[in-house]
Amino acid sequence: MPGEVTPLESASRRARRLAREEVIGAIVEAGRRQLATEGAAALSLRAVARELGMVSSAVYRYVASRDELLTLLIVRAYDSLGEAAEKAEARVARDDLSGRFATIAHAVRRWALRNPHEYALIFGSPVPGYAAPTTTIGPAARVPVLLVAVLTELTADRVSQGQARRVVPDEAVDLAVRRALAPVRAAVPEHVPDELFLRGLMAWTYLLGAISAELFGHRHNVIAESPGARDAFHTAEMARIAAFVGIR
Amino acid sequence: MPGEVTPLESASRRARRLAREEVIGAIVEAGRRQLATEGAAALSLRAVARELGMVSSAVYRYVASRDELLTLLIVRAYDSLGEAAEKAEARVARDDLSGRFATIAHAVRRWALRNPHEYALIFGSPVPGYAAPTTTIGPAARVPVLLVAVLTELTADRVSQGQARRVVPDEAVDLAVRRALAPVRAAVPEHVPDELFLRGLMAWTYLLGAISAELFGHRHNVIAESPGARDAFHTAEMARIAAFVGIR
DNA sequence: TGTACATCAGTGAACGCGCGTTCACTGATGTAC
DNA sequence: TGTACATCAGTGAACGCGCGTTCACTGATGTAC
């Protein structure tokens, strides 16, 4: 009846709910493992069911469709990446802004190298016919939020020392470009100059470009294959990007 | 018999060969159209056959397997991109190096926006289970070759004016990084400084990162969706990258 | 000019496969009286 | 404490689909003598 108080959950209902959540967790885990070995295109509910020893139709008790499983996996991937970056960044001294930036970049790359198919799922070519629901927006923003924090503090820092004009790039940003950035500008403190924000966004673009190039094979025959060489190159490229943004 | 001279091709054999090449062309075109509407994962020999009004087994007279068709499509995509960039770049005055750079970047992006699935095929997540044969290396290098030419002339230019040290970035490049770049360094004239070459490579990485971000939807809610806004942003970001490389 | 043979594009049926999703069902467990 | 009913996880068969690839074949065309 409308207006009625929802009754307290009984102990057994609660137990059922917990069991249910556990099974959903197992399904997502199985999907993740499938992703890791076969890639997103090969992901199938039937294979997930097989891995869990269920009959394929049983999975539908927990997940409405293949697309819904895909969404769960995407959210999980963003969260896993976000957590990795946040944890790494939290260990750096707060006033070491360039250390924080380098650590975020490094953590993102390390996560990508360890979870290449999950990386491809969220940053590779879109899965045809799949449209991400809004549920993914929050988790997707976790790393960008860390970067914006660095930019914000970078500016606060410089401003308080009265040297903003010299250290932070401060070219004029076209009106057209300022308009292009309008959607996201609201999420960034006003005292961060347009040019700095633009460059921060470019740094994020660069980081994903570099990782994609490495992971998707576009650095074959270009950069030596040994992990040492790749690490060295990554450190060098990100150092230059940090300087480009004005993070010191 | 070994040692025998291969006989001249008869007129009819020639006719057959030409017809054959035409059909292969039609198959590749059909594959391309399928790619454009469905994406690489959905590409199938059966669908190609259907589109051409052939029975599916007939396609095997021309193409050994699905993977071989994929290779043909990849080569075609690289060539189409390379040609677009070369043609656009050729129209710019030779001594306008920054114009050449901006034009290459712009041509690559325009090609990508017009051929999003072909772009995804060559620069997106790799197709699972497919390994590109060496046939693709040459076509894949066409755009990078244009960029290297700009770097080369940029250096020659500055050197001849005796101002290389000031205009071209000339930081020290780590030994480890120089080693990492060894595979490709041989393809670049010696007088191009390591730092400049490194930055040129970064510009290419950036360009693909920016296009991928735009095409794969990672600028949703970040940059305004109108074509005008996106164009303005692209111009702005590439101008900054050109300055970063030292192209003026 | 005529005939036996070779070449090869295209046919049609079949193989074995995996997929997403639906549906009527069984059977265990919990709930209300 | 006992009984009728509700809930819901899991079953098993089935639907209709598309895929890559193989194979024995037909029939048109060209070639050699």
Side-chain angles (χ1 to χ4, degrees):
Chain A
M1 214 176 276
E4 209 173 17
V5 180
T6 56
L8 277 183
E9 188 180 38
S10 76
S12 62
R13 278 186 100 84
R14 197 176 114 86
R16 270 223 260 244
R17 185 173 53 79
L18 290 179
R20 203 184 152 73
E21 274 162 19
E22 201 160 306
V23 176
I24 292 185
I27 288 173
V28 172
E29 263 319 294
R32 217 180 71 83
R33 274 192 299 276
Q34 236 200 292
L35 215 56
T37 56
E38 310 294 327
L43 177 74
S44 85
L45 285 188
R46 289 187 103 109
V48 164
R50 229 173 297 143
E51 186 174 331
L52 295 174
M54 295 167 104
V55 104
S56 71
S57 53
V59 176
Y60 284 84
R61 291 269 165 227
Y62 300 95
V63 151
S65 65
R66 181 177 181 270
D67 273 14
E68 192 181 301
L69 177 56
L70 219 45
T71 299
L72 291 176
L73 286 168
I74 288 172
V75 167
R76 208 212 102 106
Y78 275 127
D79 275 329
S80 154
L81 168 63
E83 195 186 313
E86 286 163 11
K87 277 195 176 161
E89 197 253 7
R91 281 194 292 271
V92 182
R94 292 298 82 191
D95 61 353
D96 178 7
L97 295 179
S98 80
R100 283 164 66 183
F101 177 81
T103 301
I104 294 167
H106 182 241
V108 171
R109 174 168 175 265
R110 199 170 58 163
W111 181 88
L113 293 180
R114 287 186 181 173
N115 306 277
H117 287 100
E118 281 184 279
Y119 177 88
L121 180 63
I122 55 183
F123 294 120
S125 356
V127 178
Y130 173 81
T134 50
T135 346
T136 60
I137 296 180
R142 288 173 72 167
V143 177
V145 160
L146 293 178
L147 292 172
V148 167
V150 171
L151 296 186
T152 304
E153 294 179 39
L154 179 68
T155 329
D157 229 44
R158 305 307 181 196
V159 167
S160 72
Q161 290 170 34
Q163 49 176 268
R165 307 254 139 208
R166 269 194 302 151
V167 179
V168 169
D170 196 27
E171 296 170 36
V173 175
D174 279 0
L175 179 60
V177 175
R178 288 209 305 277
R179 279 214 191 105
L181 289 173
V184 78
R185 202 58 181 77
V188 179
E190 263 183 58
H191 73 265
V192 175
D194 287 322
E195 178 69 23
L196 178 61
F197 174 61
L198 168 58
R199 289 182 181 229
L201 184 49
M202 287 179 67
W204 177 230
T205 299
Y206 186 86
L207 177 59
L208 295 182
I211 294 172
S212 295
E214 181 173 355
L215 235 47
F216 299 166
H218 296 293
R219 286 183 168 175
H220 269 191
N221 310 314
V222 178
I223 291 172
E225 303 283 340
S226 79
R230 291 150 145 235
D231 288 353
F233 189 84
H234 182 254
T235 302
E237 62 186 345
M238 291 318 296
R240 279 152 184 87
I241 290 294
F244 168 76
V245 176
I247 303 172
R248 275 161 236 266
Chain B
M1 215 178 276
E4 209 173 19
V5 180
T6 56
L8 277 184
E9 187 179 40
S10 77
S12 63
R13 279 187 97 85
R14 198 176 112 85
R16 269 224 262 245
R17 185 173 54 78
L18 290 179
R20 202 183 153 73
E21 275 162 18
E22 201 161 305
V23 176
I24 292 185
I27 287 172
V28 172
E29 262 320 294
R32 216 181 72 84
R33 275 193 299 276
Q34 237 201 291
L35 215 55
T37 56
E38 310 293 328
L43 176 76
S44 85
L45 286 187
R46 290 187 104 111
V48 164
R50 229 172 300 146
E51 185 173 333
L52 296 175
M54 297 168 102
V55 104
S56 71
S57 53
V59 176
Y60 284 85
R61 290 271 165 228
Y62 299 95
V63 150
S65 65
R66 181 177 181 270
D67 272 15
E68 193 181 300
L69 176 57
L70 218 44
T71 299
L72 292 175
L73 286 168
I74 288 172
V75 167
R76 209 211 102 106
Y78 275 127
D79 276 329
S80 155
L81 168 63
E83 196 186 311
E86 284 162 12
K87 277 195 175 159
E89 196 254 8
R91 282 194 293 269
V92 182
R94 293 297 82 193
D95 61 354
D96 177 6
L97 296 179
S98 80
R100 282 164 66 183
F101 177 81
T103 301
I104 294 167
H106 182 242
V108 171
R109 174 167 175 268
R110 198 169 59 164
W111 180 89
L113 292 179
R114 287 185 182 174
N115 306 277
H117 286 100
E118 281 183 280
Y119 177 87
L121 181 63
I122 56 183
F123 295 120
S125 357
V127 178
Y130 173 81
T134 51
T135 346
T136 61
I137 296 180
R142 288 172 73 167
V143 177
V145 160
L146 294 179
L147 292 172
V148 167
V150 171
L151 296 186
T152 305
E153 295 179 40
L154 179 67
T155 329
D157 229 45
R158 304 308 183 193
V159 167
S160 73
Q161 291 170 32
Q163 48 176 266
R165 306 254 140 208
R166 270 194 302 149
V167 179
V168 168
D170 197 28
E171 297 170 34
V173 175
D174 278 359
L175 178 60
V177 175
R178 290 208 305 278
R179 281 214 189 105
L181 289 173
V184 78
R185 202 58 182 77
V188 179
E190 262 183 59
H191 74 265
V192 174
D194 288 322
E195 179 68 25
L196 178 62
F197 174 61
L198 168 58
R199 288 182 182 230
L201 184 49
M202 285 179 68
W204 176 230
T205 300
Y206 186 85
L207 177 59
L208 297 183
I211 294 172
S212 296
E214 182 173 354
L215 235 47
F216 299 165
H218 295 296
R219 287 183 169 177
H220 269 192
N221 310 313
V222 179
I223 292 172
E225 302 283 341
S226 80
R230 290 149 145 239
D231 287 354
F233 189 84
H234 181 254
T235 303
E237 62 187 345
M238 291 318 295
R240 278 152 184 87
I241 290 293
F244 168 76
V245 175
I247 304 172
R248 274 161 235 266

